[in-house]
Amino acid sequence: MIQVVDLVKRFGALQAIRGISFQVKEGELFGFLGPNGAGKTTTINILCTLLTPTSGRAFVAGHDVVQYPTEVRRSIGIIFQDPSLDERLTALENLKFHAMLYHLPRKKTGERMEMLLDMVGLSERRHDLVKTFSGGMKRRLEIVRGLLHYPKVLFLDEPTLGLDPQTRNHIWNYIKELREKERLTLFLTTHYMEEADPCDRIAIMDEGRIVALDTPAALKQRVGCDTLDDVFVKLIGHEIREENASGKDQLRDLHKKWIGRMR
Amino acid sequence: MDREDAVMEFQSLYTVWLRDLVRFRRDRTQILGGFSRPMLWLLFLGVGMGPVFHSESGVPYMHFIFPGVIAMNLIFASFLSAISIIWDREFGFLKEILVAPISRSSIAFGKAASGSTIAVLQGLVVVAFAPLVHVPLTFEKILLLIPSMFLIAFTCTSMGIVLASRMTSFEGFGTIANFVIMPMFFLSGGLFPLDKIPVWLKILTHLNPLTYGVDQLRWILSGVHRFPIAFDLFFNLFFSALMLALAVALFKRSPA
């Protein structure tokens, strides 16, 4: 379902991905782990056509991501690391605009919307503005949106980051339910090692390279540890990786000031 | 591109347009700004400057600045709409649009269309003030004003998209908005006549695309104009097409 061959991505002098290759099979739950700045999000961004690779090739659902981006986009759903909802629209409007962007037939989509909203427990809040939602509710809505157009592959970039344990649990249950129902291929990045345990296979990335790729059991056995946490630390080390801060919070404050000044 | 693709692209463009209009309808501060801005200029500047203003054509100052105030509302609304691209980038929604199976050109075109539509609505707010400040209006005039306002707004929104696609920080845009919006407004011939000004200022005003827009609006409203109307129209059409092409080209290469 996903095939990556000798993928390299450079940003100026920085080598974010230094030649990685892997395959993800149909219906697989594939975990992509690694410390901050390892190149996980860059890889996802290439696979979902937001970035073009410097060299190497990548195929998603049989389509080359550089040559056939539109076909790739039709076959994938994405839950981004940062929220990507329109907060000034209602939950239902967000979903409707998504359906329009993906050219989904209205009637069939309506039923699916109901089914998915019901599954994540947001049916009652469908007419509320997204800005009134909690972090967990936004995530759940994003999951609904990501699944609306029957994607073949669902990318989840740290889908449970910053959520409380109950919400994390719920989200995992939806994901498991969907895997059984729709034979979805799941590509997941996460920081929580216990979330990586149920994966069929795991790739561990560090400094732009894949340092290990196997089933969780095989990885534990190979390194001689009982938990994935230990595997991770053994393979990557204890050192904390620095990532450049985006200054996003600072910018959000500035927006507020500017709105007042411009109008 | 076959017919089916074209229909799909149009639907995508419509989606981008519709979303912005739904957002605008809810945005009370922007609607309020659309009312308060022209009030400020017409009532305070228009009334205050009236007694000291003498134009050769004998037009009262209120009539003189009226097309300029329309243009000001158009340019403000256009640039504010273009700014929303930076918000969308910061708040993540842009990614949702960028990974959807639609072309970047449709996104940029849809943005230009929605910004222009909103700007025309804001321009009509000023037009609604006409009876209040005794500027005579006819139905024909309004019919002519709408496409002219759209053309001006389309140019300004496209210019805004050009700037927004090069920018990742809101602060930078604010600075440029102040260095673009205000000079364009002041140098448009909307506030003072262009015939008695020094040459250097005249050159700047003649380079300003808004000058020809204001001239066209003034011709519709009061029959007075500085340049040949065909030239105004040609220049406005040419410049909006150029800016749209630039907006599309730059947006295609803008960061996610």
Side-chain angles (χ1 to χ4, degrees):
Chain A
M1 192 51 67
I2 299 174
Q3 197 185 353
V4 172
V5 187
D6 297 327
L7 200 67
V8 173
K9 180 66 188 178
R10 252 183 244 116
F11 297 102
L14 178 83
Q15 274 223 310
I17 306 176
R18 301 162 187 252
I20 57 171
S21 302
F22 62 88
Q23 283 185 26
V24 180
K25 282 170 266 174
E26 194 187 343
E28 195 173 1
L29 170 51
F30 190 81
F32 211 53
L33 312 182
N36 289 334
K40 299 182 304 265
T41 299
T42 305
T43 308
I44 285 200
N45 281 346
I46 290 174
L47 292 177
C48 65
T49 75
L50 280 177
L51 284 175
T52 50
T54 308
S55 69
R57 301 189 76 180
F59 301 86
V60 175
H63 307 289
D64 188 309
V65 294
V66 178
Q67 278 166 354
Y68 302 101
T70 309
E71 281 77 3
V72 171
R73 289 171 189 172
R74 272 194 202 115
S75 9
I76 61 174
I78 308 144
I79 317 294
F80 290 107
Q81 195 171 342
D82 297 311
S84 64
L85 295 161
D86 189 335
E87 304 223 331
R88 292 202 208 172
L89 298 181
T90 67
L92 206 59
E93 283 167 345
N94 266 286
L95 297 178
K96 280 184 176 163
F97 281 123
H98 184 85
M100 283 170 78
L101 285 175
Y102 285 78
H103 311 290
L104 305 178
R106 197 167 284 182
K107 191 165 168 265
K108 209 170 115 197
T109 314
E111 286 161 22
R112 184 162 173 84
M113 245 181 242
E114 298 302 317
M115 188 273 278
L116 291 168
L117 278 173
D118 211 43
M119 179 185 85
V120 302
L122 283 176
S123 288
E124 316 241 297
R125 302 291 302 269
R126 73 181 80 184
H127 293 299
D128 294 351
L129 290 181
V130 172
K131 68 178 165 199
T132 66
F133 282 18
S134 69
M137 289 164 73
K138 285 180 192 165
R139 262 291 121 103
R140 274 140 63 196
L141 182 59
E142 284 185 307
I143 290 174
V144 172
R145 190 181 65 179
L147 290 166
L148 202 58
H149 54 280
Y150 299 90
K152 294 189 178 116
V153 185
L154 185 66
F155 290 95
L156 300 138
D157 196 3
E158 312 205 8
T160 56
L161 193 71
L163 300 180
D164 59 51
Q166 288 91 330
T167 313
R168 272 166 62 186
N169 232 323
H170 273 300
I171 285 178
W172 272 104
N173 288 336
Y174 310 141
I175 291 172
K176 279 173 201 156
E177 202 183 317
L178 280 161
R179 265 192 87 196
E180 283 157 23
K181 263 197 215 157
E182 312 201 347
R183 218 181 142 60
L184 201 61
T185 305
L186 290 160
F187 189 97
L188 165 87
T189 76
T190 181
H191 273 310
Y192 303 107
M193 289 305 131
E194 71 270 21
E195 288 188 347
D197 251 326
C199 290
D200 297 320
R201 282 188 310 148
I202 291 171
I204 297 180
M205 207 173 171
D206 189 29
E207 295 183 323
R209 289 196 181 84
I210 290 179
V211 293
L213 199 169
D214 218 325
T215 61
L219 282 176
K220 287 177 202 164
Q221 203 185 9
R222 196 170 85 196
V223 183
C225 311
D226 294 332
T227 67
L228 278 177
D229 261 324
D230 296 337
V231 172
F232 195 77
V233 169
K234 260 219 167 121
L235 286 170
I236 310 274
H238 283 278
E239 187 191 340
I240 293 170
R241 302 293 149 83
E242 299 289 339
E243 203 180 13
N244 284 336
S246 64
K248 204 164 270 182
D249 293 326
Q250 226 175 313
L251 273 161
R252 281 187 182 134
D253 284 346
L254 266 170
H255 291 170
K256 283 179 195 148
K257 280 183 203 156
W258 267 106
I259 295 166
R261 249 151 104 186
M262 296 285 300
R263 289 179 186 171
Chain B
M1 195 197 280
D2 59 31
R3 199 169 162 271
E4 201 180 324
D5 283 344
V7 170
M8 275 195 176
E9 284 300 328
F10 183 78
Q11 201 193 342
S12 314
L13 194 154
Y14 171 71
T15 311
V16 173
W17 178 87
L18 187 65
R19 167 186 173 247
D20 279 352
L21 265 98
V22 170
R23 281 168 62 99
F24 173 69
R25 205 186 58 201
R26 294 215 178 103
D27 190 355
R28 293 219 179 84
T29 48
Q30 210 190 329
I31 298 171
L32 207 71
F35 277 94
S36 66
R37 230 178 292 118
M39 277 236 294
L40 211 73
W41 288 88
L42 286 174
L43 256 50
F44 298 165
L45 192 77
V47 173
M49 284 289 287
V52 292
F53 178 81
H54 296 286
S55 83
E56 269 146 39
S57 51
V59 178
Y61 191 60
M62 193 65 90
H63 290 201
F64 182 83
I65 60 162
F66 197 76
V69 176
I70 294 179
M72 178 198 62
N73 246 22
L74 293 176
I75 188 171
F76 258 92
S78 299
F79 274 88
L80 267 174
S81 287
I83 282 179
S84 71
I85 291 179
I86 303 179
W87 288 357
D88 285 347
R89 183 176 290 133
E90 275 311 305
F91 289 104
F93 188 77
L94 192 66
K95 274 190 185 166
E96 150 81 355
I97 301 180
L98 291 179
V99 294
I102 70 177
S103 72
R104 302 275 159 112
S105 318
S106 292
I107 301 171
F109 204 117
K111 275 277 166 198
S114 65
S116 313
T117 310
I118 291 167
V120 168
L121 292 175
Q122 297 272 41
L124 283 171
V125 167
V126 184
V127 175
F129 277 104
L132 206 74
V133 294
H134 308 294
V135 171
L137 268 183
T138 60
F139 185 65
E140 289 77 23
K141 280 184 185 174
I142 296 175
L143 276 188
L144 278 171
L145 277 175
I146 291 172
S148 305
M149 290 195 294
F150 194 85
L151 208 55
I152 298 169
F154 204 84
T155 305
C156 296
T157 314
S158 303
M159 271 177 86
I161 296 170
V162 168
L163 296 175
S165 51
R166 293 284 94 186
M167 253 165 258
T168 47
S169 113
F170 200 74
E171 206 182 11
F173 189 91
T175 316
I176 288 203
N178 273 339
F179 278 94
V180 177
I181 294 181
M182 290 323 252
M184 269 179 82
F185 174 45
F186 286 141
L187 297 175
S188 68
L191 291 176
F192 48 82
L194 301 179
D195 35 23
K196 285 175 192 160
I197 54 175
V199 178
W200 64 270
L201 200 56
K202 206 172 262 182
I203 293 171
L204 286 178
T205 56
H206 284 214
L207 290 172
N208 180 4
L210 200 61
T211 302
Y212 307 95
V214 169
D215 200 48
Q216 198 176 317
L217 294 178
R218 183 168 288 137
W219 169 71
I220 295 169
L221 281 160
S222 58
V224 179
H225 59 95
R226 182 176 169 77
F227 306 99
I229 289 309
F231 179 76
D232 282 343
L233 189 65
F234 170 78
F235 191 89
N236 287 334
L237 279 169
F238 171 77
F239 208 76
S240 64
L242 183 76
M243 278 296 138
L244 178 70
L246 204 60
V248 168
L250 284 182
F251 186 75
K252 273 186 181 168
R253 281 186 281 147
S254 76

